[in-house]
Amino acid sequence: GEDVEQSLFLSVREGDSSVINCTYTDSSSTYLYWYKQEPGAGLQLLTYIFSNMDMKQDQRLTVLLNKKDKHLSLRIADTQTGDSAIYFCADRPHGSSNTGKLIFGQGTTLQVKP
Amino acid sequence: DVKVTQSSRYLVKRTGEKVFLECVQDMDHENMFWYRQDPGLGLRLIYFSYDVKMKEKGDIPEGYSVSREKKERFSLILESASTNQTSMYLCASRQGQGAREQFFGPGTRLTVL
């Protein structure tokens, strides 16, 4: 079945850029998502990218999609301590428009040091 | 704003107990989901419902059942709780077919002793 993989941990200094990476196996994905989970909270949608795009920018966030390598990344510019959280990559496979089913990665814990 | 609420933030139960986790959304969404979240495993889909009284198994349905009698409420039931069901449980909802976003509740941390 489909799979989504992420590294588990990333540590950066405040003010640096963070890059969180994700790989997926489904060659027919329609949408790919980045969700953020702050401590003690549920998941919040950060951004998503349609599979026919290769880049999307939203303020400090840049999403890059390499369909050939099935690689998705999230870059956070000027990382702040408030960005410390778990970041989940998720894939919506082709054919799941009706159900909305998502496949999530393991989550990357981002630690921002002052 | 969409609001998804879960009945408890923390719950402690004993092995063998029947456990109900409740989820309510206030935006008339058609689709609702139950996930469990475990460190290093991410979110795994237990069950989902695409309409009232409709349900489908997700990736890890064993040991769980669900109920959706009303559109706004989706319940997860552990018929006989076991220690390996200790986890964070997250509910989500989505407007309906073609909608891009799932909205999540705050989660219920369940401990089974």
Side-chain angles (χ1 to χ4, degrees):
Chain A
E2 300 93 355
D3 194 22
V4 177
E5 297 278 337
Q6 298 176 243
S7 55
L8 296 182
F9 187 77
L10 176 66
S11 181
V12 300
R13 292 226 170 262
E14 194 173 16
D16 288 351
S17 290
S18 307
V19 179
I20 302 171
N21 294 301
C22 169
T23 57
Y24 60 97
T25 58
D26 184 9
S27 58
S28 60
S29 294
T30 53
Y31 289 93
L32 292 140
Y33 298 80
W34 284 105
Y35 278 86
K36 177 183 181 183
Q37 184 182 36
E38 294 182 354
L43 274 67
Q44 177 184 18
L45 181 66
L46 272 183
T47 187
Y48 64 88
I49 188 165
F50 189 47
S51 57
N52 69 353
M53 298 170 64
D54 51 21
M55 186 178 105
K56 181 177 180 181
Q57 188 148 5
D58 184 0
Q59 298 181 342
R60 292 190 298 122
L61 304 178
T62 303
V63 178
L64 295 178
L65 175 60
N66 181 328
K67 282 193 73 175
K68 176 174 165 290
D69 294 338
K70 298 193 186 77
H71 183 268
L72 182 75
S73 68
L74 174 70
R75 179 177 179 270
I76 305 173
D78 187 25
T79 312
Q80 303 297 306
T81 53
D83 294 324
S84 294
I86 304 175
Y87 291 81
F88 289 95
C89 169
D91 161 38
R92 193 178 93 178
H94 179 70
S96 62
S97 173
N98 283 357
T99 63
K101 183 178 176 181
L102 298 178
I103 310 294
F104 283 87
Q106 300 92 328
T108 300
T109 298
L110 175 64
Q111 178 190 66
V112 182
K113 295 179 180 176
Chain B
D1 275 354
V2 175
K3 195 165 184 188
V4 180
T5 56
Q6 295 183 229
S7 49
S8 306
R9 293 301 302 271
Y10 300 94
L11 210 51
V12 179
K13 295 291 181 181
R14 298 217 170 267
T15 303
E17 280 192 75
K18 190 169 186 175
V19 182
F20 292 87
L21 303 182
E22 305 284 341
C23 175
V24 177
Q25 50 90 8
D26 66 357
M27 283 301 291
D28 202 36
H29 282 181
E30 290 183 5
N31 308 151
M32 296 187 75
F33 307 83
W34 274 107
Y35 296 91
R36 66 176 280 177
Q37 180 183 2
D38 300 289
L41 296 178
L43 273 70
R44 293 178 291 166
L45 182 64
I46 304 171
Y47 266 97
F48 62 100
S49 167
Y50 45 90
D51 205 345
V52 178
K53 297 190 189 291
M54 308 299 282
K55 60 187 178 186
E56 255 189 64
K57 293 180 181 179
D59 299 317
I60 51 163
E62 296 79 18
Y64 303 94
S65 61
V66 290
S67 171
R68 193 164 179 208
E69 295 297 316
K70 293 186 177 181
K71 195 172 188 180
E72 67 271 17
R73 187 180 297 271
F74 192 34
S75 302
L76 180 70
I77 304 154
L78 288 65
E79 293 289 340
S80 176
S82 63
T83 54
N84 63 12
Q85 292 178 309
T86 291
S87 187
M88 171 71 89
Y89 290 88
L90 292 165
C91 175
S93 73
R94 184 182 85 131
Q95 184 173 16
Q97 184 178 343
R100 291 170 195 166
E101 184 174 355
Q102 288 188 23
F103 296 86
F104 282 81
T108 296
R109 184 162 294 282
L110 172 67
T111 302
V112 183
L113 301 175

